[in-house]
Amino acid sequence: MDQVEIFKALSNKTRLQILNWLKEPELSFPAQEVYGFADGVCVGQIQLKTGLTQSTVSEYLSTLQRAGLVTATRKGQWTYYKRNDEAFAALSKIIETEI
């Protein structure tokens, strides 16, 4: 777990908001409820909620994925993102012991 990458990823307000939405996706993305959340949330739904361009949202999600904070699942032409709760547990331990 690269601590620098993690803290860089967390340094952006929109990326933090995306992580917050992914914590309880059923509350934040009701339009996707029909399809379920087993694979995560479709990047298109995240893009609609942020109001940003798809390229910006994709870059934000790539940053979060490189930091290990989200996982991605590709299904056909769609990519779905989920929070990596194991990474947050490890981050919590790092903060407890190092800071």
Short mmCIF file of all heavy atoms in Angstrom, two decimals, residues 21-89:
data_model
loop_
_atom_site.label_atom_id
_atom_site.label_comp_id
_atom_site.label_asym_id
_atom_site.label_seq_id
_atom_site.Cartn_x
_atom_site.Cartn_y
_atom_site.Cartn_z
N TRP A 21 -19.94 8.32 -1.74
CA TRP A 21 -21.10 7.77 -2.44
C TRP A 21 -20.99 6.25 -2.57
O TRP A 21 -21.98 5.54 -2.43
CB TRP A 21 -21.23 8.37 -3.84
CG TRP A 21 -21.61 9.81 -3.87
CD1 TRP A 21 -22.32 10.51 -2.93
CD2 TRP A 21 -21.29 10.74 -4.91
NE1 TRP A 21 -22.46 11.82 -3.32
CE2 TRP A 21 -21.85 11.99 -4.53
CE3 TRP A 21 -20.61 10.65 -6.10
CZ2 TRP A 21 -21.73 13.12 -5.32
CZ3 TRP A 21 -20.49 11.78 -6.89
CH2 TRP A 21 -21.05 12.99 -6.50
N LEU A 22 -19.78 5.77 -2.84
CA LEU A 22 -19.58 4.33 -3.03
C LEU A 22 -19.67 3.56 -1.72
O LEU A 22 -19.82 2.34 -1.74
CB LEU A 22 -18.24 4.06 -3.72
CG LEU A 22 -18.14 4.52 -5.17
CD1 LEU A 22 -16.73 4.26 -5.71
CD2 LEU A 22 -19.18 3.86 -6.04
N LYS A 23 -19.59 4.26 -0.60
CA LYS A 23 -19.72 3.59 0.69
C LYS A 23 -21.11 2.97 0.84
O LYS A 23 -21.26 1.87 1.34
CB LYS A 23 -19.44 4.58 1.82
CG LYS A 23 -19.39 3.94 3.18
CD LYS A 23 -18.97 4.94 4.23
CE LYS A 23 -18.83 4.28 5.58
NZ LYS A 23 -18.40 5.24 6.59
N GLU A 24 -22.13 3.70 0.41
CA GLU A 24 -23.51 3.21 0.43
C GLU A 24 -24.15 3.52 -0.92
O GLU A 24 -24.96 4.44 -1.04
CB GLU A 24 -24.29 3.88 1.56
CG GLU A 24 -23.78 3.51 2.95
CD GLU A 24 -24.60 4.14 4.05
OE1 GLU A 24 -24.50 5.37 4.22
OE2 GLU A 24 -25.33 3.39 4.71
N PRO A 25 -23.78 2.77 -1.94
CA PRO A 25 -24.23 3.11 -3.29
C PRO A 25 -25.74 3.08 -3.49
O PRO A 25 -26.27 3.84 -4.29
CB PRO A 25 -23.54 2.06 -4.17
CG PRO A 25 -23.24 0.93 -3.25
CD PRO A 25 -22.98 1.56 -1.90
N GLU A 26 -26.42 2.23 -2.74
CA GLU A 26 -27.87 2.16 -2.91
C GLU A 26 -28.56 3.46 -2.51
O GLU A 26 -29.63 3.79 -3.02
CB GLU A 26 -28.47 0.97 -2.14
CG GLU A 26 -28.15 0.92 -0.67
CD GLU A 26 -26.74 0.43 -0.32
OE1 GLU A 26 -26.10 -0.24 -1.13
OE2 GLU A 26 -26.28 0.76 0.79
N LEU A 27 -27.95 4.24 -1.64
CA LEU A 27 -28.51 5.54 -1.25
C LEU A 27 -28.13 6.64 -2.24
O LEU A 27 -28.90 7.58 -2.45
CB LEU A 27 -28.01 5.95 0.15
CG LEU A 27 -28.37 5.02 1.30
CD1 LEU A 27 -27.74 5.51 2.60
CD2 LEU A 27 -29.88 4.90 1.44
N SER A 28 -26.97 6.50 -2.86
CA SER A 28 -26.46 7.55 -3.73
C SER A 28 -26.80 7.37 -5.20
O SER A 28 -26.78 8.33 -5.96
CB SER A 28 -24.94 7.63 -3.58
OG SER A 28 -24.59 7.94 -2.26
N PHE A 29 -27.08 6.15 -5.61
CA PHE A 29 -27.34 5.86 -7.02
C PHE A 29 -28.62 5.04 -7.18
O PHE A 29 -28.59 3.89 -7.64
CB PHE A 29 -26.14 5.09 -7.62
CG PHE A 29 -24.84 5.83 -7.52
CD1 PHE A 29 -23.95 5.55 -6.49
CD2 PHE A 29 -24.53 6.82 -8.43
CE1 PHE A 29 -22.76 6.24 -6.39
CE2 PHE A 29 -23.33 7.52 -8.34
CZ PHE A 29 -22.45 7.23 -7.31
N PRO A 30 -29.77 5.62 -6.82
CA PRO A 30 -31.03 4.86 -6.88
C PRO A 30 -31.39 4.40 -8.29
O PRO A 30 -32.05 3.37 -8.44
CB PRO A 30 -32.07 5.82 -6.31
CG PRO A 30 -31.46 7.18 -6.44
CD PRO A 30 -29.99 6.99 -6.35
N ALA A 31 -30.94 5.10 -9.32
CA ALA A 31 -31.28 4.71 -10.69
C ALA A 31 -30.67 3.37 -11.06
O ALA A 31 -31.17 2.66 -11.93
CB ALA A 31 -30.81 5.78 -11.68
N GLN A 32 -29.59 2.98 -10.38
CA GLN A 32 -28.94 1.71 -10.69
C GLN A 32 -29.51 0.55 -9.89
O GLN A 32 -29.17 -0.60 -10.12
CB GLN A 32 -27.43 1.81 -10.46
CG GLN A 32 -26.71 0.58 -10.97
CD GLN A 32 -25.22 0.68 -10.88
OE1 GLN A 32 -24.64 1.62 -11.37
NE2 GLN A 32 -24.60 -0.30 -10.26
N GLU A 33 -30.39 0.83 -8.97
CA GLU A 33 -30.94 -0.22 -8.10
C GLU A 33 -31.56 -1.36 -8.90
O GLU A 33 -31.50 -2.51 -8.49
CB GLU A 33 -31.99 0.38 -7.15
CG GLU A 33 -32.46 -0.61 -6.14
CD GLU A 33 -32.37 -0.06 -4.73
OE1 GLU A 33 -32.22 1.14 -4.55
OE2 GLU A 33 -32.45 -0.89 -3.82
N VAL A 34 -32.10 -1.05 -10.06
CA VAL A 34 -32.71 -2.07 -10.92
C VAL A 34 -31.69 -3.16 -11.27
O VAL A 34 -32.03 -4.33 -11.34
CB VAL A 34 -33.24 -1.41 -12.22
CG1 VAL A 34 -33.76 -2.45 -13.20
CG2 VAL A 34 -34.31 -0.40 -11.89
N TYR A 35 -30.43 -2.76 -11.47
CA TYR A 35 -29.39 -3.69 -11.89
C TYR A 35 -28.61 -4.27 -10.71
O TYR A 35 -27.86 -5.21 -10.87
CB TYR A 35 -28.41 -3.00 -12.85
CG TYR A 35 -29.11 -2.40 -14.03
CD1 TYR A 35 -29.31 -1.04 -14.12
CD2 TYR A 35 -29.59 -3.21 -15.06
CE1 TYR A 35 -29.98 -0.48 -15.21
CE2 TYR A 35 -30.25 -2.67 -16.15
CZ TYR A 35 -30.44 -1.30 -16.21
OH TYR A 35 -31.10 -0.77 -17.27
N GLY A 36 -28.76 -3.68 -9.55
CA GLY A 36 -28.04 -4.14 -8.37
C GLY A 36 -26.64 -3.53 -8.29
O GLY A 36 -26.20 -2.83 -9.19
N PHE A 37 -25.97 -3.85 -7.19
CA PHE A 37 -24.67 -3.25 -6.92
C PHE A 37 -23.58 -4.30 -6.69
O PHE A 37 -22.51 -3.97 -6.19
CB PHE A 37 -24.76 -2.34 -5.70
CG PHE A 37 -25.71 -1.19 -5.91
CD1 PHE A 37 -27.01 -1.26 -5.43
CD2 PHE A 37 -25.32 -0.06 -6.60
CE1 PHE A 37 -27.90 -0.21 -5.62
CE2 PHE A 37 -26.20 0.99 -6.81
CZ PHE A 37 -27.49 0.92 -6.32
N ALA A 38 -23.83 -5.54 -7.09
CA ALA A 38 -22.87 -6.62 -6.85
C ALA A 38 -21.51 -6.31 -7.48
O ALA A 38 -20.47 -6.61 -6.90
CB ALA A 38 -23.41 -7.94 -7.37
N ASP A 39 -21.51 -5.70 -8.66
CA ASP A 39 -20.25 -5.38 -9.34
C ASP A 39 -19.79 -3.96 -9.05
O ASP A 39 -18.72 -3.56 -9.50
CB ASP A 39 -20.41 -5.57 -10.85
CG ASP A 39 -20.63 -7.02 -11.21
OD1 ASP A 39 -19.93 -7.88 -10.66
OD2 ASP A 39 -21.52 -7.29 -12.04
N GLY A 40 -20.60 -3.19 -8.35
CA GLY A 40 -20.27 -1.79 -8.08
C GLY A 40 -21.22 -0.86 -8.80
O GLY A 40 -22.33 -1.24 -9.16
N VAL A 41 -20.74 0.36 -9.02
CA VAL A 41 -21.55 1.39 -9.66
C VAL A 41 -20.95 1.71 -11.03
O VAL A 41 -19.73 1.89 -11.15
CB VAL A 41 -21.60 2.67 -8.79
CG1 VAL A 41 -22.37 3.78 -9.50
CG2 VAL A 41 -22.23 2.36 -7.44
N CYS A 42 -21.79 1.79 -12.03
CA CYS A 42 -21.36 2.09 -13.39
C CYS A 42 -20.74 3.49 -13.44
O CYS A 42 -21.27 4.44 -12.84
CB CYS A 42 -22.55 2.00 -14.34
SG CYS A 42 -22.13 2.37 -16.04
N VAL A 43 -19.65 3.60 -14.15
CA VAL A 43 -18.96 4.89 -14.27
C VAL A 43 -19.90 5.97 -14.81
O VAL A 43 -19.81 7.13 -14.42
CB VAL A 43 -17.68 4.77 -15.12
CG1 VAL A 43 -17.98 4.48 -16.56
CG2 VAL A 43 -16.83 6.02 -15.00
N GLY A 44 -20.84 5.59 -15.66
CA GLY A 44 -21.80 6.56 -16.19
C GLY A 44 -22.68 7.16 -15.11
O GLY A 44 -23.00 8.35 -15.15
N GLN A 45 -23.08 6.35 -14.14
CA GLN A 45 -23.88 6.85 -13.02
C GLN A 45 -23.07 7.82 -12.16
O GLN A 45 -23.58 8.84 -11.70
CB GLN A 45 -24.38 5.69 -12.16
CG GLN A 45 -25.39 4.80 -12.83
CD GLN A 45 -26.69 5.55 -13.11
OE1 GLN A 45 -27.18 6.30 -12.27
NE2 GLN A 45 -27.24 5.33 -14.28
N ILE A 46 -21.80 7.49 -11.95
CA ILE A 46 -20.92 8.37 -11.16
C ILE A 46 -20.73 9.68 -11.91
O ILE A 46 -20.81 10.76 -11.31
CB ILE A 46 -19.56 7.68 -10.89
CG1 ILE A 46 -19.79 6.42 -10.04
CG2 ILE A 46 -18.59 8.64 -10.21
CD1 ILE A 46 -18.57 5.51 -9.93
N GLN A 47 -20.54 9.60 -13.21
CA GLN A 47 -20.36 10.81 -14.03
C GLN A 47 -21.59 11.70 -13.96
O GLN A 47 -21.48 12.92 -13.80
CB GLN A 47 -20.04 10.41 -15.47
CG GLN A 47 -19.65 11.58 -16.36
CD GLN A 47 -20.80 12.09 -17.21
OE1 GLN A 47 -21.64 11.31 -17.67
NE2 GLN A 47 -20.86 13.38 -17.41
N LEU A 48 -22.77 11.12 -14.07
CA LEU A 48 -24.00 11.91 -13.99
C LEU A 48 -24.12 12.61 -12.64
O LEU A 48 -24.50 13.79 -12.58
CB LEU A 48 -25.22 11.01 -14.20
CG LEU A 48 -25.49 10.55 -15.62
CD1 LEU A 48 -26.62 9.53 -15.64
CD2 LEU A 48 -25.83 11.74 -16.50
N LYS A 49 -23.77 11.92 -11.58
CA LYS A 49 -23.90 12.50 -10.24
C LYS A 49 -22.90 13.63 -10.00
O LYS A 49 -23.23 14.62 -9.36
CB LYS A 49 -23.75 11.42 -9.17
CG LYS A 49 -24.15 11.89 -7.78
CD LYS A 49 -24.53 10.71 -6.93
CE LYS A 49 -24.94 11.13 -5.55
NZ LYS A 49 -26.32 11.58 -5.47
N THR A 50 -21.70 13.50 -10.55
CA THR A 50 -20.70 14.56 -10.35
C THR A 50 -20.99 15.77 -11.22
O THR A 50 -20.63 16.88 -10.84
CB THR A 50 -19.27 14.07 -10.68
OG1 THR A 50 -19.20 13.75 -12.06
CG2 THR A 50 -18.84 12.92 -9.81
N GLY A 51 -21.58 15.54 -12.39
CA GLY A 51 -21.80 16.64 -13.32
C GLY A 51 -20.54 17.02 -14.09
O GLY A 51 -20.52 18.02 -14.79
N LEU A 52 -19.49 16.21 -13.96
CA LEU A 52 -18.23 16.46 -14.65
C LEU A 52 -18.18 15.67 -15.95
O LEU A 52 -19.01 14.79 -16.17
CB LEU A 52 -17.05 16.07 -13.75
CG LEU A 52 -16.96 16.80 -12.42
CD1 LEU A 52 -15.88 16.19 -11.54
CD2 LEU A 52 -16.68 18.28 -12.64
N THR A 53 -17.20 15.95 -16.78
CA THR A 53 -17.05 15.20 -18.02
C THR A 53 -16.65 13.76 -17.71
O THR A 53 -16.07 13.49 -16.65
CB THR A 53 -15.97 15.81 -18.93
OG1 THR A 53 -14.70 15.71 -18.27
CG2 THR A 53 -16.28 17.26 -19.27
N GLN A 54 -16.96 12.87 -18.65
CA GLN A 54 -16.61 11.48 -18.42
C GLN A 54 -15.12 11.28 -18.33
O GLN A 54 -14.63 10.47 -17.53
CB GLN A 54 -17.20 10.57 -19.49
CG GLN A 54 -17.30 9.18 -18.93
CD GLN A 54 -17.12 8.08 -19.91
OE1 GLN A 54 -17.45 8.22 -21.06
NE2 GLN A 54 -16.60 6.98 -19.43
N SER A 55 -14.34 12.05 -19.09
CA SER A 55 -12.89 11.89 -19.04
C SER A 55 -12.34 12.30 -17.68
O SER A 55 -11.43 11.64 -17.15
CB SER A 55 -12.20 12.69 -20.16
OG SER A 55 -12.48 14.06 -20.04
N THR A 56 -12.89 13.35 -17.07
CA THR A 56 -12.45 13.78 -15.74
C THR A 56 -12.79 12.72 -14.71
O THR A 56 -11.96 12.35 -13.88
CB THR A 56 -13.09 15.13 -15.36
OG1 THR A 56 -12.66 16.11 -16.32
CG2 THR A 56 -12.69 15.56 -13.97
N VAL A 57 -14.01 12.21 -14.77
CA VAL A 57 -14.44 11.19 -13.82
C VAL A 57 -13.61 9.92 -13.99
O VAL A 57 -13.18 9.31 -13.01
CB VAL A 57 -15.95 10.89 -13.96
CG1 VAL A 57 -16.37 9.69 -13.11
CG2 VAL A 57 -16.76 12.12 -13.56
N SER A 58 -13.33 9.53 -15.22
CA SER A 58 -12.50 8.35 -15.47
C SER A 58 -11.11 8.54 -14.89
O SER A 58 -10.54 7.61 -14.31
CB SER A 58 -12.42 8.06 -16.97
OG SER A 58 -13.67 7.63 -17.44
N GLU A 59 -10.55 9.73 -15.03
CA GLU A 59 -9.22 10.00 -14.46
C GLU A 59 -9.27 9.93 -12.94
O GLU A 59 -8.38 9.36 -12.31
CB GLU A 59 -8.70 11.37 -14.92
CG GLU A 59 -7.35 11.71 -14.37
CD GLU A 59 -6.26 10.68 -14.68
OE1 GLU A 59 -6.25 10.12 -15.79
OE2 GLU A 59 -5.42 10.42 -13.80
N TYR A 60 -10.31 10.50 -12.34
CA TYR A 60 -10.47 10.43 -10.88
C TYR A 60 -10.56 8.99 -10.40
O TYR A 60 -9.92 8.59 -9.42
CB TYR A 60 -11.70 11.21 -10.42
CG TYR A 60 -11.56 12.70 -10.43
CD1 TYR A 60 -12.65 13.51 -10.18
CD2 TYR A 60 -10.35 13.33 -10.67
CE1 TYR A 60 -12.54 14.89 -10.17
CE2 TYR A 60 -10.23 14.70 -10.67
CZ TYR A 60 -11.33 15.48 -10.42
OH TYR A 60 -11.21 16.85 -10.40
N LEU A 61 -11.35 8.19 -11.10
CA LEU A 61 -11.52 6.78 -10.72
C LEU A 61 -10.22 6.00 -10.93
O LEU A 61 -9.89 5.13 -10.12
CB LEU A 61 -12.68 6.17 -11.49
CG LEU A 61 -14.06 6.69 -11.07
CD1 LEU A 61 -15.11 6.31 -12.09
CD2 LEU A 61 -14.43 6.19 -9.69
N SER A 62 -9.48 6.32 -11.98
CA SER A 62 -8.18 5.67 -12.20
C SER A 62 -7.22 5.99 -11.06
O SER A 62 -6.48 5.12 -10.59
CB SER A 62 -7.58 6.11 -13.53
OG SER A 62 -8.32 5.60 -14.59
N THR A 63 -7.24 7.23 -10.61
CA THR A 63 -6.39 7.64 -9.49
C THR A 63 -6.76 6.86 -8.23
O THR A 63 -5.88 6.36 -7.52
CB THR A 63 -6.52 9.16 -9.23
OG1 THR A 63 -6.09 9.86 -10.40
CG2 THR A 63 -5.71 9.61 -8.04
N LEU A 64 -8.05 6.75 -7.97
CA LEU A 64 -8.51 5.99 -6.80
C LEU A 64 -8.16 4.51 -6.93
O LEU A 64 -7.78 3.87 -5.94
CB LEU A 64 -10.02 6.17 -6.62
CG LEU A 64 -10.48 7.58 -6.25
CD1 LEU A 64 -12.00 7.69 -6.33
CD2 LEU A 64 -9.98 7.96 -4.86
N GLN A 65 -8.23 3.98 -8.14
CA GLN A 65 -7.90 2.57 -8.36
C GLN A 65 -6.40 2.34 -8.17
O GLN A 65 -5.99 1.37 -7.54
CB GLN A 65 -8.35 2.13 -9.75
CG GLN A 65 -8.17 0.65 -9.98
CD GLN A 65 -8.68 0.21 -11.33
OE1 GLN A 65 -8.99 1.01 -12.20
NE2 GLN A 65 -8.76 -1.09 -11.52
N ARG A 66 -5.56 3.22 -8.70
CA ARG A 66 -4.11 3.08 -8.53
C ARG A 66 -3.72 3.12 -7.06
O ARG A 66 -2.78 2.44 -6.63
CB ARG A 66 -3.36 4.19 -9.29
CG ARG A 66 -3.19 3.93 -10.76
CD ARG A 66 -2.22 4.89 -11.41
NE ARG A 66 -2.52 6.29 -11.18
CZ ARG A 66 -3.35 7.03 -11.90
NH1 ARG A 66 -3.98 6.49 -12.93
NH2 ARG A 66 -3.54 8.30 -11.62
N ALA A 67 -4.46 3.90 -6.28
CA ALA A 67 -4.19 4.00 -4.84
C ALA A 67 -4.75 2.80 -4.09
O ALA A 67 -4.49 2.63 -2.90
CB ALA A 67 -4.79 5.29 -4.29
N GLY A 68 -5.55 1.96 -4.78
CA GLY A 68 -6.12 0.77 -4.16
C GLY A 68 -7.40 1.03 -3.39
O GLY A 68 -7.89 0.17 -2.68
N LEU A 69 -7.95 2.23 -3.53
CA LEU A 69 -9.15 2.60 -2.76
C LEU A 69 -10.44 2.12 -3.40
O LEU A 69 -11.47 2.05 -2.73
CB LEU A 69 -9.19 4.11 -2.55
CG LEU A 69 -8.00 4.67 -1.75
CD1 LEU A 69 -8.01 6.19 -1.76
CD2 LEU A 69 -8.01 4.13 -0.33
N VAL A 70 -10.41 1.82 -4.70
CA VAL A 70 -11.57 1.24 -5.39
C VAL A 70 -11.10 0.08 -6.25
O VAL A 70 -9.91 0.00 -6.61
CB VAL A 70 -12.33 2.27 -6.27
CG1 VAL A 70 -12.91 3.40 -5.45
CG2 VAL A 70 -11.46 2.79 -7.40
N THR A 71 -12.03 -0.80 -6.56
CA THR A 71 -11.77 -1.88 -7.51
C THR A 71 -12.68 -1.68 -8.71
O THR A 71 -13.76 -1.08 -8.59
CB THR A 71 -12.03 -3.26 -6.88
OG1 THR A 71 -13.40 -3.32 -6.45
CG2 THR A 71 -11.10 -3.51 -5.70
N ALA A 72 -12.24 -2.16 -9.86
CA ALA A 72 -13.02 -2.01 -11.08
C ALA A 72 -13.34 -3.38 -11.65
O ALA A 72 -12.52 -4.29 -11.61
CB ALA A 72 -12.24 -1.19 -12.10
N THR A 73 -14.55 -3.49 -12.19
CA THR A 73 -14.98 -4.71 -12.88
C THR A 73 -15.51 -4.29 -14.24
O THR A 73 -16.38 -3.41 -14.33
CB THR A 73 -16.11 -5.42 -12.08
OG1 THR A 73 -15.61 -5.74 -10.79
CG2 THR A 73 -16.57 -6.68 -12.79
N ARG A 74 -14.99 -4.90 -15.27
CA ARG A 74 -15.41 -4.58 -16.64
C ARG A 74 -16.44 -5.61 -17.08
O ARG A 74 -16.23 -6.82 -16.94
CB ARG A 74 -14.20 -4.63 -17.55
CG ARG A 74 -14.49 -4.17 -18.93
CD ARG A 74 -13.83 -2.83 -19.18
NE ARG A 74 -13.95 -2.49 -20.58
CZ ARG A 74 -14.49 -1.38 -21.00
NH1 ARG A 74 -14.91 -0.49 -20.15
NH2 ARG A 74 -14.59 -1.13 -22.28
N LYS A 75 -17.58 -5.13 -17.59
CA LYS A 75 -18.62 -6.00 -18.13
C LYS A 75 -19.03 -5.41 -19.48
O LYS A 75 -19.71 -4.39 -19.52
CB LYS A 75 -19.83 -6.05 -17.20
CG LYS A 75 -19.57 -6.86 -15.95
CD LYS A 75 -20.87 -7.34 -15.40
CE LYS A 75 -20.58 -8.49 -14.47
NZ LYS A 75 -21.75 -9.23 -14.15
N GLY A 76 -18.57 -6.06 -20.55
CA GLY A 76 -18.85 -5.53 -21.88
C GLY A 76 -18.21 -4.17 -22.03
O GLY A 76 -17.02 -3.99 -21.76
N GLN A 77 -19.01 -3.20 -22.41
CA GLN A 77 -18.49 -1.84 -22.59
C GLN A 77 -18.53 -1.01 -21.31
O GLN A 77 -18.08 0.12 -21.29
CB GLN A 77 -19.25 -1.12 -23.69
CG GLN A 77 -20.72 -0.88 -23.35
CD GLN A 77 -21.47 -0.23 -24.51
OE1 GLN A 77 -21.01 -0.21 -25.63
NE2 GLN A 77 -22.64 0.31 -24.21
N TRP A 78 -19.05 -1.57 -20.23
CA TRP A 78 -19.23 -0.82 -19.00
C TRP A 78 -18.19 -1.21 -17.95
O TRP A 78 -17.80 -2.36 -17.84
CB TRP A 78 -20.63 -1.06 -18.42
CG TRP A 78 -21.71 -0.82 -19.42
CD1 TRP A 78 -22.50 -1.76 -20.03
CD2 TRP A 78 -22.12 0.43 -19.96
NE1 TRP A 78 -23.36 -1.17 -20.90
CE2 TRP A 78 -23.15 0.18 -20.89
CE3 TRP A 78 -21.70 1.74 -19.77
CZ2 TRP A 78 -23.77 1.19 -21.61
CZ3 TRP A 78 -22.32 2.75 -20.49
CH2 TRP A 78 -23.34 2.47 -21.39
N THR A 79 -17.79 -0.22 -17.16
CA THR A 79 -16.89 -0.47 -16.03
C THR A 79 -17.62 -0.07 -14.76
O THR A 79 -18.23 1.01 -14.69
CB THR A 79 -15.58 0.33 -16.16
OG1 THR A 79 -14.97 0.00 -17.41
CG2 THR A 79 -14.62 0.00 -15.04
N TYR A 80 -17.55 -0.94 -13.76
CA TYR A 80 -18.21 -0.72 -12.48
C TYR A 80 -17.16 -0.57 -11.39
O TYR A 80 -16.16 -1.28 -11.39
CB TYR A 80 -19.12 -1.91 -12.15
CG TYR A 80 -20.27 -2.05 -13.12
CD1 TYR A 80 -20.10 -2.69 -14.34
CD2 TYR A 80 -21.52 -1.51 -12.83
CE1 TYR A 80 -21.15 -2.82 -15.24
CE2 TYR A 80 -22.57 -1.62 -13.72
CZ TYR A 80 -22.37 -2.27 -14.92
OH TYR A 80 -23.41 -2.38 -15.82
N TYR A 81 -17.40 0.35 -10.47
CA TYR A 81 -16.45 0.63 -9.40
C TYR A 81 -17.07 0.39 -8.04
O TYR A 81 -18.25 0.71 -7.81
CB TYR A 81 -15.96 2.08 -9.48
CG TYR A 81 -15.04 2.30 -10.65
CD1 TYR A 81 -15.54 2.65 -11.89
CD2 TYR A 81 -13.68 2.13 -10.51
CE1 TYR A 81 -14.70 2.84 -12.97
CE2 TYR A 81 -12.82 2.31 -11.59
CZ TYR A 81 -13.34 2.67 -12.81
OH TYR A 81 -12.50 2.85 -13.88
N LYS A 82 -16.25 -0.18 -7.14
CA LYS A 82 -16.64 -0.42 -5.75
C LYS A 82 -15.54 0.11 -4.84
O LYS A 82 -14.37 0.08 -5.22
CB LYS A 82 -16.77 -1.92 -5.46
CG LYS A 82 -17.94 -2.60 -6.07
CD LYS A 82 -17.87 -4.09 -5.87
CE LYS A 82 -18.49 -4.49 -4.57
NZ LYS A 82 -18.73 -5.94 -4.48
N ARG A 83 -15.93 0.53 -3.66
CA ARG A 83 -14.94 0.87 -2.64
C ARG A 83 -14.22 -0.38 -2.20
O ARG A 83 -14.84 -1.43 -2.05
CB ARG A 83 -15.64 1.46 -1.41
CG ARG A 83 -15.62 2.95 -1.34
CD ARG A 83 -16.42 3.44 -0.17
NE ARG A 83 -15.89 3.02 1.11
CZ ARG A 83 -15.51 3.84 2.07
NH1 ARG A 83 -15.61 5.13 1.90
NH2 ARG A 83 -15.07 3.39 3.20
N ASN A 84 -12.94 -0.28 -1.96
CA ASN A 84 -12.16 -1.39 -1.45
C ASN A 84 -12.09 -1.24 0.06
O ASN A 84 -11.22 -0.56 0.59
CB ASN A 84 -10.76 -1.39 -2.08
CG ASN A 84 -9.92 -2.55 -1.61
OD1 ASN A 84 -10.31 -3.32 -0.74
ND2 ASN A 84 -8.74 -2.67 -2.18
N ASP A 85 -13.03 -1.87 0.75
CA ASP A 85 -13.13 -1.71 2.20
C ASP A 85 -11.90 -2.25 2.93
O ASP A 85 -11.53 -1.74 3.99
CB ASP A 85 -14.41 -2.36 2.73
CG ASP A 85 -15.65 -1.60 2.28
OD1 ASP A 85 -15.57 -0.35 2.16
OD2 ASP A 85 -16.69 -2.23 2.07
N GLU A 86 -11.23 -3.25 2.35
CA GLU A 86 -9.99 -3.76 2.96
C GLU A 86 -8.92 -2.68 2.97
O GLU A 86 -8.15 -2.56 3.92
CB GLU A 86 -9.51 -4.99 2.21
CG GLU A 86 -10.41 -6.20 2.39
CD GLU A 86 -9.98 -7.38 1.52
OE1 GLU A 86 -8.91 -7.31 0.87
OE2 GLU A 86 -10.71 -8.38 1.51
N ALA A 87 -8.85 -1.90 1.90
CA ALA A 87 -7.87 -0.81 1.84
C ALA A 87 -8.16 0.25 2.89
O ALA A 87 -7.23 0.81 3.49
CB ALA A 87 -7.87 -0.18 0.44
N PHE A 88 -9.44 0.51 3.14
CA PHE A 88 -9.78 1.51 4.17
C PHE A 88 -9.45 1.00 5.56
O PHE A 88 -9.03 1.76 6.43
CB PHE A 88 -11.25 1.93 4.04
CG PHE A 88 -11.45 2.92 2.95
CD1 PHE A 88 -11.79 2.50 1.67
CD2 PHE A 88 -11.27 4.27 3.17
CE1 PHE A 88 -11.94 3.41 0.64
CE2 PHE A 88 -11.43 5.19 2.15
CZ PHE A 88 -11.77 4.76 0.87
N ALA A 89 -9.61 -0.30 5.79
CA ALA A 89 -9.23 -0.87 7.08
C ALA A 89 -7.72 -0.77 7.27
O ALA A 89 -7.24 -0.40 8.35
CB ALA A 89 -9.68 -2.33 7.15
#
